[in-house]
Structures are given as structure tokens and as C-alpha cells.
Amino acid sequence: MNLLSIFALFVITAVAEIVGCYLPWLVLKQNKSVWLLIPAALSLALFAWLLTLHPTAAGRTYAAYAGIYLVAALFWLRIVDGVALTRWDMAGALVALVGVTIIVIQPTAG
């Protein structure tokens, strides 16, 4: 997989996880319909399946994914929750993306 494909897969994976966690939060914190738990469960199942599509060892995938998840969560904070991001948020996201890139582009043995 090339870097762009890996990044796109990580982004889709992150969105699936965030949606799967956000919907129960709406049920529990904002008294939304309990029926939201069905798409939440489906979204979390999709998230777990998407993680299996990554071409490297699980631990390395999770480590790189964590950085993309962090950035996706900040976008969610801004777009869905309407909270302005700080320079600290953006600096942390940049550091995380550098870390993700280092993990993903490392040479493979053999």
C-alpha cells in the first residue's frame, strides 16, 4: 500500500471509531434515542474490521493509527462540537502526524 492509501484507510477507520463512540455518548449524555446504539455497534464493528486491512503488524498499526485518530478527534471537536482549536491542538496534531509518517514509511526487512 502506498502512503496515501494507508492514510485514507486510517482516516476512514478513525471516523468509524469516533461515530461508534459518539452515538452512545448522545444516548447517555443527551438522552437521544436508544436506537442510536444499533448504528454505533455497526460502526464499531466496521472500525475493528478496517483495522485488519492494514498491511503491517497489529501493534505497529495501532501505534500509527493513534496519531491519525488524534487528528480526526480534533477535527470532530471543531466541526461537530464547534470548539475552536488552539495552537497547542494544532502543534500536537502536527507532532502526531510526523510520528505516524515515521512509523509508516520505515523500511521493511527482506
Side-chain angles (χ1 to χ4, degrees):
M1 286 183 115
N2 66 40
L3 189 58
L4 186 58
S5 297
I6 292 169
F7 177 76
L9 184 55
F10 275 137
V11 169
I12 294 165
T13 305
V15 170
E17 183 179 10
I18 291 170
V19 168
C21 294
Y22 184 70
L23 295 177
W25 183 87
L26 288 175
V27 172
L28 296 170
K29 293 290 192 172
Q30 295 187 1
N31 297 317
K32 299 294 183 183
S33 171
V34 71
W35 290 104
L36 287 176
L37 297 177
I38 293 171
L42 293 172
S43 188
L44 288 173
L46 175 64
F47 155 70
W49 176 73
L50 288 168
L51 281 176
T52 69
L53 301 180
H54 294 274
T56 189
R60 187 168 293 128
T61 295
Y62 300 151
Y65 167 72
I68 300 300
Y69 179 85
L70 182 150
V71 173
L74 289 173
F75 271 104
W76 189 275
L77 177 68
R78 178 66 190 116
I79 294 165
V80 175
D81 293 330
V83 176
L85 300 179
T86 67
R87 286 183 283 178
W88 293 93
D89 294 327
M90 291 183 262
L94 181 60
V95 169
L97 288 176
V98 169
V100 168
T101 304
I102 292 168
I103 290 169
V104 170
I105 66 169
Q106 67 180 292
T108 58

